[in-house]
C-alpha cells in the first residue's frame, strides 16, 4: 500500500486502503483505513481471496490451459486476462473450480475432460473449452474482489480507495471497481505488485517519520548518473515522427528516464498507428513473439478519451498508468481496429496536456490527430519476449535491430536523434 505514496502523495482523509496479492509475510490481503490522520489495519487473512488470486499465480489448471510451467508464473496474469476475453463464463466449470482443494491438481470430471481434449489439438488456446475456463476464472476473480472491497467500503464508510498488490494489475476488475463501487477517487500506483515493494517501504518509512512525500511521475528509472529529462519539444522532429507513423512505420521510443513498473507508458515504448490490424500482428506476434490472443493498448489524448470511450470519467486516474479498460463507442471502432480487443474494450493510457513528462508524446498525439486523422498510438513495451524493457540508448538500438523496428526515437537533455534501423531482413530485400 505504501507504493501509492510516491505517486499520489499523503493519503486522503477517510480512505480505505486494500492490498490483494498472491501472498506476503503474514497474509494474501489486508484492509486499512486512514481516518483522523491515523493509519490503522482492520483486517488481514490468507483465505478470503487466495483461491481466486491463485488463478493468476499458482494453479495447475491455468498452467495446462496456457501451456506454462511452474517457473512461468510471472507471465500468467497477462496471458490469462488476454485469453479470458475470448471465452464465456460457464457455471459448471465455475462449480468445479470452486471445489478444487489443491491448486496444484486438476480436480473435477468436466475440467479433466476439457483439458484432455484441449491438449490433444495443435493450438490448445484456440479450443473453446480453454477459452471458457479462462473466462470463468476471470469472472470469478472479478466478482470475488468486487464483493470483498464492497464489504469493507460498507463497513467503514470510506470515500476514497487506495488499492495495491498484484491483483491491482487486473484492468477489467479495476474498471468494475470504478463503475460499481462509487468511490470519490481510486488510486492505484504504476508499481502495485512486488516490483513496488522496495519503493513503497521507503515511502512509508519517510511518511512515518513525518516527512512530506514528494509526488512523482512513473519515470524514475535512470540509465546513467546523468539526468535525462525531455527538453523543449522540437516541432520538426514531431512532424517527422508523425509522418513516419502515418506511413505505417514502427518506432521504438527512448525518451528521458524510463518507467518504473511492468507497463510501458511512453518513454520506453514501441509505437505505431492503432488502426491497422496487420501492424498490430506484426508488432505483437512477429516482433515481440506474443500469443495471438493478447491485445495491444492505445495511447490517446484526454479529449479523445472523452469522445471515444464509453463511461469515461475525466477525473479517473486509471488511465494515467494503463490500469483500466473501456468499451469503445461504435463510431470509433475503425480508428482503433489494431488495439480493440475481442470484447470491444481497449486498455487505454490517457495523456493529458498537464503531464509535464509526456510533452513529446502529447505533441505527437496532437499532430497525428490534427494533421493525419490518426486518433492515437499503439503502445507496447520496448522489449522482446522474455527480456526486460530496454533502459539505455544502446539497449534500445540493439533490441530495435533484433526485432526489425524501423527507427528509434531518442530524446533527452544530451541527445536528440532519430536512428533508422537497417536490420538483416531489410538488407536481404535490398540484395
Amino acid at each position: 500500500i505504501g507504493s501509492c505514496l510516491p505517486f499520489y502523495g499523503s493519503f486522503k482523509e477517510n480512505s480505505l486502503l486494500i492490498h490483494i496479492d498472491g501472498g506476503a509475510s503474514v497474509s494474501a490481503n489486508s484492509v486499512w483505513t486512514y481516518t483522523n490522520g491515523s493509519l490503522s489495519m482492520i483486517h488481514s487473512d490468507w483465505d478470503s481471496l487466495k483461491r481466486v488470486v491463485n488463478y493468476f499465480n499458482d494453479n495447475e489448471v491455468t498452467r495446462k490451459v496456457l501451456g506454462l510451467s511452474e517457473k512461468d508464473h510471472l507471465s500468467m496474469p497477462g496471458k490469462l486476462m488476454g485469453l479470458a476475453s475470448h471465452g464465456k463464463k460457464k457455471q459448471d466449470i465455475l462449480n468445479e473450480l470452486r471445489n478444487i482443494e489443491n491448486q496444484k491438481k486438476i480436480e473435477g470430471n468436466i475440467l479433466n475432460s476439457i483439458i484432455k481434449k484441449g491438449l490433444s489439438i495443435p493450438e490448445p488456446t484456440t479450443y473453446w473449452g480453454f477459452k471458457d475456463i479462462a473466462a470463468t476464472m476471470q469472472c470469478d476473480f472479478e466478482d470475488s474482489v468486487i464483493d470483498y472491497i464492497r464489504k469493507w467500503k460498507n463497513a467503514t464508510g470510506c470515500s476514497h480507495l487506495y488499492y495495491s498488490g498484484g491483483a491491482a494489475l487486473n484492468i477489467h476488475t479495476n474498471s468494475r471497481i470504478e463503475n460499481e463501487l462509487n468511490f470519490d477517487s481510486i488510486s492505484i500506483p504504476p508499481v502495485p505488485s512486488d516490483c513496488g515493494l522496495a519503493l513503497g517501504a521507503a515511502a512509508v518509512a519517510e511518511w512515518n517519520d513525518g516527512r512530506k512525500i514528494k509526488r512523482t511521475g512513473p519515470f524514475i528509472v535512470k540509465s546513467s548518473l546523468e539526468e535525462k529529462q525531455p527538453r523543449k519539444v522540437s516541432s520538426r522532429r514531431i512532424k517527422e515522427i508523425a509522418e513516419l507513423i502515418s506511413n505505417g512505420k514502427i518506432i521504438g521510443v527512448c525518451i528521458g528516464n524510463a518507467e518504473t513498473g511492468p507497463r510501458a507508458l511512453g518513454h520506453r515504448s514501441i509505437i505505431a498507428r492503432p488502426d491497422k490490424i496487420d501492424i498490430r500482428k506484426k508488432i505483437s506476434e512477429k516482433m515481440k513473439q506474443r500469443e495471438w490472443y493478447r491485445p495491444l493498448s492505445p495511447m490517446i489524448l484526454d479529449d479523445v478519451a472523452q469522445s471515444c470511450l464509453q463511461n469515461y470519467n475525466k477525473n479517473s486516474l486509471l488511465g494515467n498508468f494503463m490500469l483500466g479498460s473501456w468499451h469503445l463507442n461504435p463510431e470509433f471502432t475503425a480508428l482503433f481496429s489494431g488495439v480493440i480487443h475481442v470484447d470491444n474494450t481497449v486498455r487505454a493510457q490517457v495523456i493529458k496536456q498537464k503531464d509535464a513528462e509526456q510533452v513529446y508524446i502529447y505533441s505527437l498525439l496532437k499532430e497525428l490527430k490534427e494533421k493525419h486523422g490518426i486518433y492515437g498510438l499503439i503502445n507496447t513495451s520496448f522489449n522482446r519476449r522474455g527480456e526486460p524493457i530496454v533502459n539505455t540508448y544502446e539497449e534500445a538500438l540493439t533490441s530495435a535491430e533484433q526485432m526489425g523496428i524501423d527507427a528509434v526515437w531518442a530524446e533527452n537533455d544530451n541527445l536528440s536523434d532519430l536512428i533508422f534501423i537497417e536490420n538483416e531482413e531489410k538488407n536481404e530485400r535490398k540484395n
Side-chain angles (χ1 to χ4, degrees), residues 317-342:
L317 302 174
L318 297 183
N320 293 5
F321 304 135
M322 205 188 289
L323 290 169
S325 67
W326 293 267
H327 284 85
L328 271 175
N329 289 319
E331 62 268 31
F332 293 100
T333 300
L335 293 172
F336 294 97
S337 58
V339 290
I340 188 169
H341 204 15
V342 66

Side-chain angles (χ1 to χ4, degrees), residues 226-297:
E226 298 177 357
E227 286 293 330
K228 293 189 175 181
Q229 298 295 334
R231 55 187 167 183
K232 185 177 179 180
V233 65
S234 163
S235 59
R236 179 188 61 79
R237 177 55 47 77
I238 294 298
K239 292 179 186 296
E240 186 178 11
I241 298 292
E243 187 71 29
L244 289 169
I245 287 171
S246 72
N247 289 328
K249 301 301 182 183
I250 298 167
I251 310 297
V253 180
C254 186
I255 293 176
N257 292 334
E259 302 87 332
T260 186
R263 305 265 164 87
L265 299 171
H267 280 206
R268 298 296 187 277
S269 295
I270 297 171
I271 59 174
R273 59 186 302 159
D275 56 351
K276 303 292 183 183
I277 295 174
D278 58 333
I279 291 179
R280 184 260 297 169
K281 287 185 174 181
K282 181 177 181 180
I283 294 173
S284 186
E285 298 176 35
K286 183 178 179 182
M287 290 182 172
K288 299 192 64 174
Q289 300 178 340
R290 286 159 40 108
E291 295 78 9
W292 66 270
Y293 53 81
R294 296 179 67 185
L296 293 181
S297 304

Side-chain angles (χ1 to χ4, degrees), residues 13 31 52 58 91 106 130 149 151 187 218 223-224 338 343 362 380-381 388-389 406-407:
E13 182 64 25
V31 183
V52 294
D58 186 17
Q91 189 61 45
I106 300 173
F130 280 9
I149 296 178
K151 168 187 172 181
S187 303
S223 56
S224 71
D343 58 1
Y362 178 86
T380 187
S381 58
I389 298 175
D406 294 300

Side-chain angles (χ1 to χ4, degrees), residues 23 37 50 103 109 131 161 176 188 204 260 286 302 309 315 343 348 394 417:
K50 185 68 171 171
Q103 300 276 1
N109 294 330
K131 296 176 186 177
L161 175 66
R176 283 190 60 187
I188 304 173
V204 168
T260 186
K286 183 178 179 182
D302 187 42
L309 306 182
N315 296 316
D343 58 1
E394 291 76 18
D417 210 350

